[in-house]
Amino acid sequence: MASENQELKWIGTSPVRPDGTDKVTGRAKFGADLMLPGMLTGKILRSPHAHAKIKSIDTSKAEALPGVKAVVSAADIAEMPSEWVPAGELQLNYRDLASNIMARGKALYDGHAVAAVAATSAAIADAALDLIAVDYEVLPHVIDVEEAMAPDAPVLHEDMFTEGVTPTPDKPSNIFKEIDIGIGDVETGFAAADLIVERSFKTAPVHQGYIEPHAAVASFAEDGQAELWCSTQGHFTARAYCAKLLGMDVSDLRVTASEIGGGFGGKTTVYVEPVALLLSRKAGRPVRVVMTRDEVFRASGPTSGAANWVKIGVTNDGKIVAGEAVLKYQAGAFPGSPVQPGCMCAFAPYDIENVKVKGYDVVTNRPKVAAYRAPGAPIAEHAVESVLDEVAKKLGMDPIELRQKNAAREGTNAAYGPKFGPIGYAETLAAAKAHPHYSAPLGPNQGRGVASGFWFNVGGDSCATMNVSEDGTLVLATGSPDIGGSRASMAIMAAETLGIDVADVRPIVADTASLGYTFLTGGSRVTFATGMAVIEASKQIAEELRQRAAKIWDISVDAVVWEDGYAKPAGANAGDFEPLSIGDIAAQAGKTGGPISANAALNAQGAGPGFGTHICDVEVDPETGRVTVLRYTAIQDCGKAIHKAYVEGQIQGGAAQGIGWALNEEYIYDEKGRLDNPGFLDYRIPVASDLPMIEAVIVEVANPTHPYGVRGVGEVPIIPPMATVANAIEGAIGVRMTELPMSPPKVLAALDNGR
Amino acid sequence: MAKIHVTTTINGEPTEFLCEPQQTLLDVLRDELRLTGSKEGCGTGDCGACSVTFDGRLICSCLALGAEAEGHEIETIEGMAEGENLHPLQQKFLEHAALQCGVCTPGILIAAKALLEKNPDPSESEVRYWLAGNLCRCTGYDKIIRAVLECAADMRGA
């Protein structure tokens, strides 16, 4: 069996992905691509108001329209008690989830679902929505996070009394929770500082921006069992949420994950899935619900916008003696912003004795936020990495050198709790400093920025089933939706462990009835955690193959080794028999004990934290304020790259999303609290002509808990870009930008003020 | 409302369908003809996931009506490979890992093919501007641009 000490045959290569041909030919079936006989079209009526009491909903005219087969509203979902469950890196509350699926009593944001219909055609469904009469009483609304925290702000939830403060307030507010983390004593720390820099920052809510809108097809049978097909990052978690909302036994709901057209965290919860199920149950026919892009922007995602303040104290030799931050994240209409991980990540890359971070989780009249790639971290680290850049400039120190002097290393006590094991932050900094990009010349109006990022990476529940076919090829089933090439990395790890050809492993994503519970694709966990299940199943197969070979040869199993894809006689029997391939053994499986099959079910612990350091060159047009990214290099410790090209792809894609967050993307509301830019024309994600090539540099400091050293890749690369770009702009124009996005009007204003 | 009878050619095949007047070409391809390789990412012509060619010209099929296909030739992703042979762009996308989730891929391939038919030797900037109407949220475009450039070079050499 291969081990990390042996030469690796497949790991680190880039074979063509097993699902590739389906995806370049249009064959791959995504959420909206399934059609069932008798299927109805479901559509959702949404609130046009940011905040309104729902006095009544009259669906009688819609129900009477020929072709309408079902109408549902909050009345069709049982009221839930408040109960928090894990959802990706975040927590989800069933009571709030139910109210987000269908507004109960109040509509809390523009786009909040109020009712839904299923009809025999899209045109009839649209007509039916127009016939639903909702009597609203419009209430004052609040969009901005700091305005929502003001004592006289309109209150979204009358039963929300801030948690985390003693005594609990006697008045409801929009502050769901206060969070405090830290170590040491910042007062003492700042007292020892030679230089203190503090700044306030604002970040805009940004959408995950997956190109495939949410889509689900549900089919309920008369006996109460149902099937659900949906675009999701986790079909097991989608099953859990939907079964809860519909009052079903979990095993009565079979969920199949379609191919998923991007998620980035935004498909870790449910929106249209329970609605399709409710409509199907009522109509007795299959129902498909697909969001429009307008609905995606108004009613799903995004991540928080925030108002942050950071203060850092250093000695003249560049040692950080204290770091303090206040982070105010808006959660959207229901509590649960990623402020907790934001607080934990803020200073995590650094070895600082005195750290204090205060976080606020604040509700506003916007869509409930969803996880977005390293949820919470980019928002907090943008502020810290911007202030560090300013500190470096004031000290006259190279910004990488400042980070090197303070970088967390193995044994560093992180401010959020743990002591780091082997980590690769220092290695990414060294690689950045040595990269030719860092010393390349710059032209007029150009600047260079550098910044870093930290993310925990997570493990969790995963299963893998491996069946050896009669010809010795393998089917490998996991429960992790393949969002960016994970089938390929699973096949690579199986082939490496068994010593066989990667083309002989056929990886599939199994539905919820065909495999044990597997937590969702998120937290950069799949290659790590599901990978560990795959390796475990592969080892079981290898062990079984040894036993079968021993039977065939009629020798002790101890005298058989599995090596380079063959069972070989060893010890005293060495050379006595011709080695047997997996195909040779599979052909005789019936005679040696039956089919060869393995199942691994585990909870993967010991995810290895990830660090990245990015370098960016920009040119600022002094006439228009437009920022052009000229060159971008993203360096990251991945532990071990399993499929090299898809690891690079994760880094490049995360960097591109971060550049969009830095320069273009934001939710814009009108005075009535309605989203003004719910489309890709006005919410502008980076297009091909906006970006240069993005050079991904992989650093490998092995995570000792994974057999091949995997840490996880997907999330870290979105963290550094906002500060990297801001620091580059500062280098170009000499002005510190503190508000995202750094769009032309803001840069122009900064230029005018700075002049 | 009476449906419209349309006679057209799709991927070289003579095709007839019935559609409602308001149905887009994309709706017809997906819902009536079950050619679901063309994707709806926005429905407003901003994302390019529904890209097809209409008499050889690149369009967003969400911005055309099904009825407009009458008498014209439509090419979709389903017609890009020839039998068992992938188009060189499809092959190059696989080799370069120029797709992650894959939902924008059909539109990008159709758009890239239209580019190379018009301009067999595009510069990086020309590829980037030509594909600026095809959004990809996963890749940062790097591997897509490289795949198109390398494919163009191969096809010129062939």
Side-chain angles (χ1 to χ4, degrees):
Chain A
M1 218 171 300
S3 77
E4 53 268 44
N5 301 323
Q6 269 182 287
E7 203 174 305
L8 297 171
K9 187 172 179 198
W10 297 109
I11 286 175
T13 65
S14 301
V16 168
R17 63 196 285 171
D19 53 323
T21 299
D22 280 356
K23 285 179 176 157
V24 297
T25 55
R27 254 187 209 90
K29 290 276 175 278
F30 289 83
D33 296 342
L34 181 70
M35 275 167 235
L36 297 177
M39 188 173 81
L40 304 171
T41 299
K43 297 220 176 197
I44 297 173
L45 182 70
R46 298 184 180 276
S47 167
H49 306 296
H51 195 190
K53 191 175 170 192
I54 299 171
K55 292 161 79 177
S56 66
I57 303 176
D58 182 357
T59 59
S60 56
K61 283 185 183 159
E63 281 160 23
L65 185 71
V68 172
K69 301 298 177 186
V71 182
V72 298
S73 66
D76 294 272
I77 307 177
E79 264 193 78
M80 305 271 154
S82 178
E83 181 189 347
W84 291 91
V85 297
E89 300 91 339
L90 306 179
Q91 299 271 306
L92 171 154
N93 187 305
Y94 277 127
R95 182 191 59 185
D96 296 341
L97 180 64
S99 299
N100 196 35
I101 298 308
M102 281 290 156
R104 187 179 293 275
K106 283 209 293 189
L108 292 165
Y109 54 93
D110 165 40
H112 198 165
V114 171
V117 303
T120 50
S121 77
I124 295 172
D126 280 329
L129 291 186
D130 289 342
L131 293 173
I132 297 173
V134 185
D135 188 8
Y136 293 105
E137 178 188 331
V138 177
L139 302 169
H141 68 275
V142 61
I143 296 292
D144 180 76
V145 63
E146 290 188 298
E147 287 173 19
M149 292 171 73
D152 57 346
V155 169
L156 273 71
H157 303 280
E158 289 299 332
D159 60 349
M160 188 177 288
F161 300 90
T162 309
E163 293 178 8
V165 287
T166 321
T168 302
D170 53 11
K171 267 182 63 184
S173 77
N174 294 321
I175 305 171
F176 170 67
K177 191 161 73 171
E178 293 187 15
I179 293 158
D180 296 282
I181 71 153
I183 50 169
D185 175 37
V186 287
E187 300 309 321
T188 311
F190 284 120
D194 297 314
L195 170 69
I196 294 174
V197 176
E198 60 182 293
R199 281 274 183 194
S200 293
F201 297 87
K202 280 214 149 192
T203 72
V206 292
H207 197 274
Q208 295 80 351
Y210 30 82
I211 306 301
E212 182 204 24
H214 297 268
V217 179
S219 183
F220 242 96
E222 288 72 6
D223 61 1
Q225 298 192 66
E227 294 195 23
L228 176 67
W229 158 277
C230 57
S231 175
T232 178
Q233 288 176 245
H235 42 314
F236 289 89
T237 44
R239 178 180 67 164
Y241 306 157
C242 289
K244 185 82 171 184
L245 293 177
L246 275 93
M248 300 171 70
D249 288 344
V250 171
S251 295
D252 277 347
L253 178 58
R254 181 177 189 175
V255 185
T256 304
S258 70
E259 294 303 328
I260 173 169
F264 315 108
K267 291 177 182 166
T268 55
T269 182
V270 291
Y271 300 103
V272 295
E273 296 85 350
V275 176
L277 282 163
L278 286 166
L279 288 168
S280 177
R281 182 160 70 182
K282 212 162 186 174
R285 284 168 66 170
V287 176
R288 181 172 66 182
V289 184
V290 181
M291 277 196 195
T292 62
R293 179 56 53 182
D294 175 276
E295 289 179 288
V296 171
F297 276 114
R298 287 167 66 210
S300 76
T303 190
S304 303
N308 299 328
W309 169 85
V310 164
K311 179 179 172 183
I312 291 175
V314 291
T315 56
N316 281 329
D317 63 355
K319 176 70 195 153
I320 303 173
V321 288
E324 188 175 359
V326 177
L327 310 175
K328 300 166 184 169
Y329 285 23
Q330 58 90 357
F334 299 97
S337 81
V339 69
Q340 174 106 33
C343 289
M344 292 162 76
C345 289
F347 292 102
Y350 303 103
D351 183 2
I352 311 175
E353 272 183 42
N354 307 294
V355 172
K356 184 177 167 189
V357 185
K358 184 160 193 70
Y360 296 89
D361 187 19
V362 183
V363 294
T364 58
N365 293 112
R366 298 169 177 262
K368 165 75 174 76
V369 301
Y372 182 22
R373 217 164 185 158
I379 300 165
E381 295 186 55
H382 158 252
V384 170
E385 293 291 311
S386 296
V387 171
L388 275 181
D389 195 62
E390 202 168 337
V391 167
K393 291 227 163 69
K394 289 196 165 145
L395 287 175
M397 188 178 279
D398 176 89
I400 293 183
E401 194 187 328
L402 173 67
R403 287 171 173 83
Q404 284 177 315
K405 272 184 192 271
N406 296 282
R409 289 178 161 78
E410 183 169 2
T412 297
N413 283 309
Y416 69 88
K419 182 180 278 213
F420 285 122
I423 51 171
Y425 183 30
E427 285 76 359
T428 69
L429 290 167
K433 213 171 183 180
H435 195 285
H437 181 172
Y438 197 58
S439 50
L442 288 166
N445 298 319
Q446 295 180 0
R448 175 166 300 139
V450 61
S452 299
F454 157 84
W455 182 248
F456 316 95
N457 297 328
V458 306
D461 293 332
S462 281
C463 289
T465 291
M466 195 178 267
N467 287 302
V468 180
S469 304
E470 306 88 285
D471 59 357
T473 58
L474 292 156
V475 177
L476 167 62
T478 70
S480 296
D482 182 351
I483 206 158
S486 60
R487 284 184 187 87
S489 58
M490 296 305 127
I492 287 174
M493 285 184 278
E496 190 75 58
T497 307
L498 282 164
I500 59 174
D501 194 315
V502 72
D504 288 340
V505 183
R506 194 67 54 226
I508 65 157
V509 180
D511 67 70
T512 58
S514 307
L515 194 78
Y517 180 88
T518 296
F519 192 54
L520 50 79
T521 296
S524 298
R525 66 175 290 278
V526 172
T527 311
F528 171 69
T530 303
M532 281 171 77
V534 167
I535 294 163
E536 174 59 31
S538 304
K539 287 178 176 172
Q540 289 177 27
I541 291 286
E543 177 58 26
E544 185 66 25
L545 292 167
R546 278 178 64 224
Q547 302 212 8
R548 301 299 178 97
K551 267 191 188 162
I552 292 168
W553 292 328
D554 196 20
I555 61 175
S556 161
V557 69
D558 298 335
V560 181
V561 291
W562 184 260
E563 210 174 72
D564 299 330
Y566 287 88
K568 297 175 184 171
N573 302 98
D576 288 355
F577 307 98
E578 279 297 302
L580 291 172
S581 71
I582 190 166
D584 298 332
I585 298 170
Q588 303 183 54
K591 290 184 276 182
T592 57
I596 301 165
S597 177
N599 182 55
L602 52 79
N603 182 289
Q605 296 292 311
F611 292 85
T613 298
H614 292 193
I615 312 166
C616 170
D617 294 354
V618 300
E619 182 167 322
V620 180
D621 181 344
E623 300 300 316
T624 63
R626 181 189 155 94
V627 176
T628 303
V629 177
L630 300 173
R631 184 171 180 183
Y632 204 97
T633 304
I635 300 149
Q636 188 173 328
D637 172 25
C638 302
K640 187 77 191 171
I642 300 298
H643 188 294
K644 184 166 176 284
Y646 281 112
V647 168
E648 290 169 355
Q650 287 292 317
I651 296 172
Q652 292 163 335
Q657 282 186 315
I659 291 168
W661 197 338
L663 293 177
N664 296 327
E665 299 178 31
E666 62 181 319
Y667 268 43
I668 301 168
Y669 283 89
D670 71 10
E671 60 193 20
K672 288 182 172 167
R674 293 175 187 168
L675 186 60
D676 245 350
N677 59 335
F680 278 137
L681 189 62
D682 297 316
Y683 182 98
R684 194 166 184 283
I685 71 171
V687 305
S689 54
D690 291 336
L691 297 173
M693 293 297 183
I694 295 167
E695 184 179 348
V697 178
I698 299 169
V699 168
E700 294 181 324
V701 176
N703 171 19
T705 53
H706 186 279
Y708 297 114
V710 167
R711 289 184 185 275
V713 180
E715 288 170 295
V716 168
I718 201 173
I719 301 167
M722 284 70 83
T724 307
V725 174
N727 297 344
I729 293 173
E730 201 279 340
I733 66 173
V735 182
R736 168 67 46 196
M737 300 294 296
T738 57
E739 269 192 38
L740 300 183
M742 296 173 286
S743 51
K746 285 199 200 124
V747 175
L748 207 53
L751 278 166
D752 288 344
N753 293 336
R755 268 170 193 156
Chain B
M1 199 179 298
K3 288 194 172 184
I4 300 169
H5 178 255
V6 177
T7 304
T8 182
T9 304
I10 295 179
N11 298 326
E13 294 264 328
T15 305
E16 291 177 64
F17 59 81
L18 294 173
C19 70
E20 292 170 14
Q22 79 282 4
Q23 271 185 301
T24 66
L25 177 57
L26 178 62
D27 289 339
V28 168
L29 290 171
R30 291 181 52 83
D31 296 339
E32 308 301 327
L33 302 174
R34 306 274 164 113
L35 293 170
T36 55
S38 305
K39 306 299 179 190
E40 179 164 326
C42 67
T44 50
D46 299 316
C47 79
C50 65
S51 296
V52 300
T53 57
F54 191 100
D55 292 342
R57 186 169 161 228
L58 182 65
I59 64 160
C60 287
S61 61
C62 73
L63 296 184
L65 291 171
E68 291 181 279
E70 174 72 37
H72 294 281
E73 296 198 6
I74 314 295
E75 294 280 340
T76 73
I77 186 66
E78 286 88 352
M80 196 160 170
E82 286 183 27
E84 288 186 351
N85 300 318
L86 294 178
H87 185 278
L89 275 165
Q90 293 172 310
Q91 189 59 40
K92 199 59 81 179
F93 268 54
L94 292 179
E95 289 164 10
H96 274 259
L99 59 143
Q100 282 178 33
C101 79
V103 80
C104 71
T105 309
I108 289 186
L109 285 167
I110 288 287
K113 180 167 175 260
L115 168 66
L116 298 190
E117 280 165 7
K118 219 179 157 77
N119 178 2
D121 189 12
S123 67
E124 182 190 330
S125 283
E126 285 171 330
V127 176
R128 287 188 179 276
Y129 277 89
W130 183 272
L131 293 180
N134 289 84
L135 302 181
C136 167
R137 190 60 157 172
C138 295
T139 65
Y141 304 102
D142 184 298
K143 293 181 190 303
I144 293 172
I145 304 300
R146 288 178 199 278
V148 174
L149 288 169
E150 196 177 298
C151 187
D154 286 359
M155 286 171 77
R156 286 195 307 277

